[in-house]
Amino acid sequence: MSTLYLFASAAEPVFDIARVIEDAQADGWDVCLGLTPAAARWLAGSLDGLAVLTAHPVRWDAPLPGEPEVWPAASAVLFAPATFAAVNQWALGIADSFVVGFAAEGIGQGIPMVAMPCVSAAHARHPQFERSVEALRGAGVSVLVPDDPAVGFSWPLALSAVRERIAVG
């Protein structure tokens, strides 16, 4: 079974994460859920249930040195929803959270990665956002940016892109 690291930041689609995990599991993925600290706060009341659903601890903080790895190796990473801050931090290599740090490292490890931002129209027009999307694409990340990233976010499209990315290579 392939392992999908599902990383999410604090944007409204994160509230559908349990259904997305179930959809990914139905596709044959072993899912490990990683959250930004803000997303972990948003889902605080659901974290135990999400850990049961995935059969893995939900992570939002980096392990301490010497702590054993609790997740199987990643076959792919889906970072969705990815906020304006997460996209820019990832592209700039500012690894101040577990998920952004892992995603930044994953580029160098050649792990297939897909990102689907969920940002406001104003953030999408910010010049750094476009530069960050291009930097991530240039590093091999498939970044799916709908015409209107605030309302065009699509979990089915994101999961389909991961399947295509793995199939291609």
Side-chain angles (χ1 to χ4, degrees):
M1 180 181 296
S2 298
T3 301
L4 175 65
Y5 282 16
L6 176 57
F7 290 164
S9 46
E12 192 169 340
V14 78
F15 291 115
D16 294 326
I17 205 82
R19 181 186 49 80
V20 175
I21 291 167
E22 291 169 342
D23 290 348
Q25 290 170 331
D27 269 353
W29 290 102
D30 178 21
V31 180
C32 296
L33 179 61
L35 303 168
T36 62
R41 282 191 305 276
W42 284 23
L43 298 176
S46 303
L47 295 177
D48 290 340
L50 292 167
V52 169
L53 180 61
T54 63
H56 300 288
V58 177
R59 295 172 71 178
W60 59 89
D61 204 2
L64 295 173
E67 283 186 337
E69 180 52 59
V70 295
W71 285 356
S75 304
V77 172
L78 171 58
F79 201 144
T83 60
F84 178 75
V87 169
N88 290 323
Q89 289 168 335
W90 185 8
L92 295 170
I94 301 170
D96 68 344
S97 71
F98 165 70
V99 295
V100 174
F102 186 94
E105 246 186 322
I107 289 172
Q109 295 172 339
I111 299 170
M113 288 191 264
V114 174
M116 180 166 262
C118 183
V119 301
S120 70
H123 278 142
R125 288 190 298 271
H126 191 285
Q128 185 56 52
F129 182 72
E130 185 175 337
R131 288 191 293 269
S132 293
V133 167
E134 289 308 311
L136 291 171
R137 287 178 175 159
V141 178
S142 296
V143 183
L144 312 171
V145 181
D147 291 337
D148 184 345
V151 296
F153 186 91
S154 167
W155 280 116
L157 179 62
L159 288 172
S160 176
V162 173
R163 282 191 302 274
E164 289 175 21
R165 182 70 194 264
I166 294 296
V168 172

